[in-house]
Structure formats: structure tokens, C-alpha cells
Amino acid sequence: MIIVFWIVLAGILVAIGITAASTIKTMRKPRWGIVPTDNLLKKEIIITTGGKTFHGFVYTSTDFTESPPMPGMLLLPDRDEKYPGFEHWAAIFALQGFPTLAVDLYGKKMLAAEFLDVVSTAFPSFKQALTENANVDPSGFGMLGFGESALAGLYAGSADDEVKAICCAGMPRADPSRVNDAMGRIFLAHCKDDTMAPLDEFEANKDSLGVGDRDYLLLDLGGHGFISQEAVIAGYFSIPVHKMLGLYYKQFTPTGVIET
Amino acid sequence: MDKELGFKRPSGINWESKFLQHFLVDVLMILGVPPVLVWLPVWIQSATSTDIGWQLAGQDWLPSLILMLAWFGLDIMLVRWVMAKMGEFSRFPIPTRSDQVTFEPVQIPVGANALPGMIVKGPATPSENAPVIIVCHGMGGRKEDYYPIGIPLTFLGFALLFYDSRGHGQARFGNKWDTAFIIKDFSKVVDFIFARAKVEGDLDASHVIAWGASMGGGIVMNEAYLDSRVKFCISVCAWADFMLTATRPLKTFMERVIKAGYEFMGINLNPTKLQNRMVSPIYNSFNRQKGFFDHPVYADINNDYRVMLAHCKDDAVVYYKNFEMNRDFLKMPRENYIVFDKGNHAFAGNETALVGKMMLWFWMRGY
């Protein structure tokens, strides 16, 4: 009879193990991943420039396949953000019609200064890669960067008149001498409790870059990763990108649809 | 009414529900019966004075005790698992606050009572004649739930009006299960905007937009849709036919837990046909507008302009069929909706994409 005991006990322990594994899997599920919608098309590309190789993902929307060339967006995720953790940022702009290139910068093992140089030097190649892989109007680009990658995007984007909107989130202190006059093109978002790029660095950037009162968003909480504030950031940066790239969509009106 | 009937029931629990009764019995059976059953061999041995070999280290109670403790361990793990699964619905635990955004508490009159509201404005919101978006939360929710989705729209020049439905949040009257009244209250919120626009001039009553998720989507599709004062409606994970979603066969244990959770709030998930008609847009509102005496009458509605939808295919609360019914009923152009394969009822992992699409909807309507 005691064999029944051992069988039942083993069964219960297996059930505990399965439940525990499922619980841990649920709790450790990454906050962001693949954006699973048929509206989004994705193409993986490799960009080789200056002896460095970058993996990139070009995102486009199925709603705009028959549209004329649209301005492009470049997404430079933070160095610690691994694919597909940044896909949701690319989806914002791609769904709005902007072909978007997200460059995977995860695991680039180099010092901050070298990283800045490498990424800002490669920036024109990113633009070119996007133009070659999507139906992009090369006269207008936008850029969204996070952390140190934002800094690299700022340095490169400010020197490039084709980059109409430079959106920087959680960006550390910028060296004003490396930023060309980009007043009116720079948009910042930051959280006051960011420990990687503290508030005083944001304040310094705001002043040195001449960022206007409506051109930044400063949130109380969220940290360097904008935890819980991602949707706010998504909405906030959509607005200057749309405005600066001067996009016109077909209009749905109470009396009918007007094609533009 | 319970008092008049001579009995008192614990507030808010739908004890009349057969589903809830069966669910609770099942849970009690799973959690409580096995730990009792494991003592059966001990009882047999002592009652019949026969040795059936149920002992460890010479103690007949030891195997039963070990099994009972092991089962309690499994119970704890099951509860933890359910909590982890439910945690997937709470994606924005940190409040959205910024010095650039103002929060003005308001009271929205509904008869002798009032719904607590919050008018949120940003630096781009004009001081006069600001277009308004009314944000409706879900069943069991509160106005703060959708701050992260709504607040960025203040940077597009909108004023946002979030409010607690009756029985929810800080509302001091009504019950969570007053769904039909909750839906009807929306017109009072629009009345409030009109009154405020007239007196203070900060809001533009000719630019009122409705946004809602889950039950909020139900509010928007039932009441805002009918209201000609509302320009257009964005409805996220909303039902088409309440009865269809409430009484569907449940596929998973978590779907049963979620349904039981709603019935613990007191929601009637087995409505009569009449009750269902009052809260289901495919019967109640689509292709109609309020006519004389506020009664819905058929009208020529431009749904291409008026309605936008979003849904996840794995929605465990308002299942996907509802979206398909709404989409097909309204013959929606593909620009007006977005569907995600995963994300459940909270659009988990798709919130930023949803906001991106939502901004597009505003731009496609001249904002």
C-alpha cells in the first residue's frame, strides 16, 4: 500500500514543479517582444560600414503599401535593449506610415566614447540602408534614440539637414560642441528618477540644446527604461515626428474620404 | 431590496450565478478535498484494525501528513500561478505624472449624485476651446487606468476628461453591476462638457471624442455612438453582443477564473434578452442616432468616419468574435482597426503600437 503513497507524492511533486515552472515563466516574461499584428511587415537586413556590421530590421505598414514614398524613421535602441525588445518602438512609427529601421545595438562591447563615434559615423549608412530597403522619401527622416544611442543619433542627426526630427529619450549629457545648430528639431523625453542619466543631465541638455517648452516631456517616474510610461513616450514622440516631417494622410470626414 | 426580502447578502457578489456556485465548489474540491482524502487509509487501518501497509518509520499518520502538506504546497503554487497570470493584466503599475500636465478634479452631475472626473491638460492644450476626449474605463476599473494612453494626447492639443463610472473608483453611488446605467451616464458626461464649455469656455463642445476600453468600449459603442454631439468613437476590446461573450463556453481555467472574478464583483453574466439588448451595440445603437425623446432611430451614419476598433485575438475577457461582429456589422475600412494576435485583454506588449495607430486615426480626422 505504501507504494501508493510514493506514487501520489511523486504526482503531487511533479504538479508542483510544473506549476512553479509556469509561474516563473509568466513572471519572467519580457515586458516587450514581437508586435504580433498583420498590419506590420518586417525585413531583417545587415548593414556593413566602416568595418563594423550591424543587424537591422525594417518595419513597414501594410496600410501604406500603395502610398507614395514616405519619410523614414531611424530607431536607435539603448545598448542594453535586445531584439525583439525594441520592436514595439519601431511599430509606433511604422503603423503611422513611416518605414522604420531599427538598428540592433545590443552587445556592442566598446567604451561609451567609441560607441558614440561608431554609431554616429554609421548613421548615414543606416539612412542609406533604409532608403534601399523600403519606399522612402530620402529628403526627410526622423530619429528616435534611447540612452547613449540617442546621443549618437543627436550628434549625427544634428549635422544632417535631412533629419527633421531628433527624438532623444533618457539621453545622458550631450557635448554641445558636437551638436550642430538643430534648434527646433530636437525633442527630449526623460524621467526625473532616471539613475543612468540623472535629471541634471537632462536639464543641462535642455538648456544647451535650446529645447523649447513644448519640445520636451519630463515625467516624474519611470526610470531610465520608462517603465509604465512607454505608451506616453509613444504618443509624445509621434507628434513632433508627424509635425516635422509634414505628413498628410487621406482624410476621413463626416461626409466621406478625401484622398490626398 | 435584499432587506425588504428579509435577507442580506454580502455586497457585490453574484451568488445567484450558477456558474459562480459551480466554480467555487470546484475550487473547494480541488483545494480542500484531497488533503482530507489522504487520511482515509489511516482511518481504514484504525477502524478495521487491519494493517494495509500505510506507514512510514512505523507511524501510520506520517504518510498522510506528508501528502497533506504536499497538497497544501500545490494549493499555494496554484494560487501563486493564478496571481502571476492575473498580473499580466496590470501593465502600468507606476503612475503617470508630469509637471507639464495639469490635473483638475471635477464633479460630473448625474441626477442628485456626481461622478468624479479629472480634466487633464498639457502644454499644447489651448486655454480656450480645447477639443475634448472623454475616456471611459473598464468594468471594475477606475479613471486612472488609462492615464498612460490618454495623457500623450494632451500634447496633440486635447483636453482629456477621465471619469469614474458609478460604482467604480471614487464614485460614491451605484454598483459595479449597473452596466446599463453606467452606459447611459455617458450622455451626462457630454452634458457636463457642454455646460462647462458655455460657462468657462476652456472646452470646445463641438469637438467631443469618445474613447473607451472593455466596458468603456461598450459605453462608447452603445451611448457615444448614438450621441450626435460626439464626433467619433475609438473603442478598444469592446463587445458586440454582451450575452455572446458572457455565456460562451470557456476554454481555459484562466477564463473561468476571470469570469468568476467579474461575478465576485456582482456582474450579471447571464443577462436576459432585454438586458442584453440594452448593452449590446449590434442591437442597441449601430446605424442609429438618438432621436426625439432620446430614443435611438435609424439614421444614415458614416461609420468610416465615426468608429475605430482594436482587439487582440487571444482576448480572454471579450473574445475575438465580438470584434469580428462589430467590424463586419459596420463594414469598416481596414484603416479603422488594428488586430494583434496576442496581448489578451490588456494589449500586453502592444500598447505603444496601439497608441501609434491611435495617433494616426486622429491625424486622419484632421487633428
Side-chain angles (χ1 to χ4, degrees):
Chain A
M1 187 64 187
I2 202 66
I3 190 73
V4 176
F5 163 76
W6 291 113
I7 292 168
V8 173
L9 184 63
I12 294 173
L13 292 177
V14 167
I16 289 175
I18 291 169
T19 316
S22 177
T23 306
I24 291 166
K25 190 181 167 195
T26 303
M27 293 175 73
R28 295 184 66 181
K29 192 175 165 187
R31 186 166 167 76
W32 300 100
I34 300 280
V35 178
T37 173
D38 295 341
N39 293 47
L40 209 58
L41 299 172
K42 178 167 56 176
K43 180 180 175 186
E44 188 172 356
I45 61 170
I46 291 174
I47 306 155
T48 306
T49 177
K52 303 276 181 191
T53 300
F54 297 88
H55 278 266
F57 299 87
V58 177
Y59 295 89
T60 49
S61 167
T62 54
D63 291 342
F64 292 88
T65 46
E66 289 163 20
S67 300
M70 302 282 266
M73 270 300 290
L74 297 172
L75 172 67
L76 304 180
D78 216 342
R79 274 209 279 181
D80 60 357
E81 206 162 14
K82 195 177 181 180
Y83 174 81
F86 51 76
E87 183 164 302
H88 70 107
W89 295 119
I92 303 164
F93 303 102
L95 289 171
Q96 292 168 359
F98 302 102
T100 302
L101 169 64
V103 184
D104 190 351
L105 300 170
Y106 178 77
K108 297 285 175 200
K109 286 179 183 144
M110 50 185 98
L111 295 173
E114 189 190 354
F115 177 79
L116 287 178
D117 286 341
V118 166
V119 175
S120 54
T121 306
F123 192 86
S125 303
F126 298 157
K127 277 173 58 188
Q128 192 185 342
L130 178 57
T131 311
E132 287 169 358
N133 286 281
N135 188 21
V136 173
D137 172 5
S139 65
F141 286 89
M143 190 284 293
L144 169 60
F146 290 85
E148 285 177 1
S149 308
L151 206 49
L154 172 71
Y155 292 159
S158 65
D160 185 340
D161 288 341
E162 287 175 357
V163 182
K164 314 283 187 196
I166 303 166
C167 304
C168 305
M171 184 172 72
R173 190 188 298 266
D175 176 359
S177 68
R178 295 185 66 178
V179 183
N180 285 40
D181 182 15
M183 204 177 279
R185 289 194 285 147
I186 301 173
F187 305 91
L188 304 179
H190 214 93
C191 294
K192 285 182 184 175
D193 61 343
D194 188 335
T195 50
M196 305 279 281
L199 181 61
D200 61 314
E201 299 198 3
F202 164 77
E203 297 288 358
N205 287 338
K206 185 162 75 79
D207 295 340
S208 67
L209 301 174
V211 176
D213 285 346
R214 289 189 187 181
D215 296 341
Y216 71 88
L217 171 62
L218 182 58
L219 296 159
D220 290 356
L221 300 167
H224 191 61
F226 294 93
I227 300 296
S228 281
Q229 316 298 354
E230 297 95 336
V232 184
I233 300 299
Y236 172 69
F237 278 137
S238 294
I239 296 163
V241 167
H242 170 75
K243 189 174 140 194
M244 299 302 289
L245 294 177
L247 215 54
Y248 293 96
Y249 297 100
K250 73 176 175 184
Q251 293 291 298
F252 288 80
T253 73
T255 51
V257 177
I258 302 168
E259 299 283 347
T260 55
Chain B
M1 190 183 83
D2 291 342
K3 274 185 185 171
E4 288 166 18
L5 291 172
F7 63 91
K8 177 98 179 98
R9 65 174 182 174
S11 173
I13 300 177
N14 185 7
W15 292 117
E16 294 85 354
S17 163
K18 293 281 178 221
F19 167 81
L20 188 59
Q21 292 166 11
H22 291 149
F23 178 80
L24 289 175
V25 169
D26 289 350
V27 168
L28 282 174
M29 294 285 281
I30 292 168
L31 299 184
V33 172
V36 176
L37 285 180
V38 296
W39 291 98
L40 207 58
V42 182
W43 179 79
I44 290 169
Q45 281 187 153
S46 63
T48 60
S49 300
T50 50
D51 184 2
I52 58 171
W54 187 259
Q55 54 181 292
L56 276 178
Q59 305 294 329
D60 60 353
W61 50 266
L62 191 55
S64 296
L65 182 68
I66 291 170
L67 287 181
M68 188 178 76
L69 292 175
W71 194 268
F72 283 144
L74 179 59
D75 286 351
I76 291 167
M77 279 316 303
L78 281 171
V79 171
R80 195 73 195 84
W81 177 77
V82 168
M83 286 169 66
K85 286 282 177 191
M86 294 306 285
E88 291 182 327
F89 287 87
S90 176
R91 294 261 306 160
F92 297 110
I94 300 169
T96 298
R97 291 277 163 179
S98 167
D99 297 338
Q100 294 162 279
V101 179
T102 61
F103 293 82
E104 182 195 350
V106 292
Q107 294 292 316
I108 300 160
V110 176
N113 297 295
L115 300 173
M118 188 70 79
I119 294 179
V120 181
K121 295 176 181 172
T125 309
S127 56
E128 290 181 3
N129 293 324
V132 191
I133 301 172
I134 303 172
V135 180
C136 307
H137 63 74
M139 206 172 262
R142 58 194 184 122
K143 61 181 177 298
E144 290 82 2
D145 290 350
Y146 292 107
Y147 279 3
I149 305 282
I151 282 175
L153 293 165
T154 64
F155 287 84
L156 197 55
F158 287 102
L160 273 292
L161 173 54
F162 300 86
Y163 72 97
D164 286 323
S165 295
R166 65 170 72 194
H168 290 74
Q170 295 169 313
R172 293 276 173 264
F173 74 105
N175 301 298
K176 285 187 173 62
W177 56 86
D178 293 340
T179 313
F181 288 108
I182 287 170
I183 288 171
K184 290 292 169 201
D185 286 344
F186 182 87
S187 67
K188 303 296 179 195
V189 181
V190 183
D191 290 347
F192 168 80
I193 290 170
F194 270 67
R196 173 147 172 153
K198 206 170 179 182
V199 174
E200 299 195 23
D202 59 338
L203 305 180
D204 185 347
S206 65
H207 287 268
V208 178
I209 293 150
W211 188 99
S214 191
M215 180 187 74
I219 295 171
V220 165
M221 297 303 263
N222 278 284
E223 191 64 20
Y225 180 94
L226 283 174
D227 196 328
S228 58
R229 297 174 298 176
V230 175
K231 288 196 79 167
F232 56 83
C233 310
I234 298 176
S235 182
V236 172
C237 54
W239 63 75
D241 179 333
F242 188 82
M243 194 184 297
L244 188 75
T245 202
T247 61
R248 73 186 191 273
L250 302 175
K251 290 178 192 162
T252 64
F253 177 69
M254 275 314 293
E255 285 188 347
R256 297 188 74 204
V257 171
I258 290 165
K259 183 168 180 173
Y262 280 112
E263 297 206 312
F264 264 104
M265 280 191 257
I267 313 295
N268 174 11
L269 292 177
N270 194 20
T272 63
K273 280 186 180 176
L274 179 61
Q275 287 170 330
N276 191 45
R277 286 192 74 87
M278 292 167 75
V279 299
S280 299
I282 57 165
Y283 304 122
N284 180 43
S285 57
F286 283 166
N287 297 325
R288 298 177 177 92
Q289 268 198 336
K290 280 186 184 175
F292 201 55
F293 294 130
D294 280 352
H295 187 75
V297 292
Y298 280 100
D300 186 14
I301 312 286
N302 179 359
N303 290 315
D304 291 0
Y305 174 73
R306 193 160 182 74
V307 183
M308 284 133 278
L309 299 175
H311 219 101
C312 293
K313 287 183 181 173
D314 64 341
D315 194 323
V317 179
V318 179
Y319 82 131
Y320 182 62
K321 177 78 178 163
N322 284 270
F323 164 79
E324 292 180 318
M325 290 170 73
N326 282 332
R327 181 194 60 193
D328 297 346
F329 203 102
L330 296 170
K331 299 182 176 61
M332 300 188 75
R334 68 174 189 173
E335 291 95 336
N336 282 22
Y337 61 84
I338 185 160
V339 171
F340 298 98
D341 294 341
K342 290 181 182 173
N344 210 327
H345 199 53
F347 287 78
N350 304 320
E351 298 92 340
T352 49
L354 177 63
V355 167
K357 185 74 175 177
M358 214 167 70
M359 303 302 278
L360 179 65
W361 287 334
F362 283 104
W363 291 324
M364 285 183 154
R365 280 156 186 80
Y367 288 98

